[in-house]
Amino acid sequence: MCQANFTRKENSHDHKSQPRSQTTFGSCRFSCALFYSAPRGLKALDELERRIQLEALVIAFPLAILLIMTLGLLELAVPLSPENWSYRHIWPFLTMFYFIGLAIARKRYE
């Protein structure tokens, strides 16, 4: 039989953890607002712009998956520094992939 030992802090409601939780819930509210407004914004676009946006995502998504899988496999072979290659550091690459895809798709439909 497995037993788990849980330790409970005396003062679990300290003030140091409160700003982190506020930041987390603030970003969740922002994400929910984005997910709510994005489809409304897409409905306002014409057919060509919808196609351009879709093709940008079609280019960006496989590049993002390739980056994440490559980093995961590389981390198995060589220890990567978390200060340089954690998940919070790859977000700029995902944005860059989207804008690269957007540039390619716009150039295609010029």
Side-chain angles (χ1 to χ4, degrees):
M1 183 189 221
C2 296
Q3 288 184 341
N5 293 327
F6 295 103
T7 59
R8 185 175 168 172
K9 292 183 179 179
E10 293 292 324
N11 188 6
S12 63
H13 299 291
D14 60 350
H15 295 290
K16 291 181 181 178
S17 65
Q18 189 175 9
R20 268 193 192 163
S21 64
Q22 289 175 354
T23 303
T24 302
F25 289 126
S27 64
C28 288
R29 279 187 245 141
F30 174 74
S31 298
C32 289
L34 180 67
F35 291 142
Y36 177 73
S37 65
R40 295 171 74 197
L42 284 175
K43 288 178 185 176
L45 298 176
D46 63 342
E47 186 177 341
L48 178 62
E49 188 62 32
R50 284 183 192 179
R51 177 167 251 176
I52 289 172
Q53 295 294 324
L54 179 63
E55 286 191 20
L57 289 173
V58 165
I59 292 169
F61 184 74
L63 288 174
I65 295 297
L66 182 66
L67 174 69
I68 293 170
M69 288 179 62
T70 302
L71 285 175
L73 291 173
L74 188 62
E75 192 174 18
L76 290 175
V78 179
L80 297 175
S81 170
E83 292 87 26
N84 295 328
W85 291 106
S86 69
Y87 287 114
R88 68 175 183 213
H89 291 102
I90 64 170
W91 285 107
F93 289 103
L94 304 181
T95 307
M96 181 181 67
F97 293 155
Y98 172 72
F99 284 116
I100 288 171
L102 198 60
I104 291 171
R106 286 199 191 279
K107 186 171 179 136
R108 182 176 177 195
Y109 288 107
E110 280 185 350

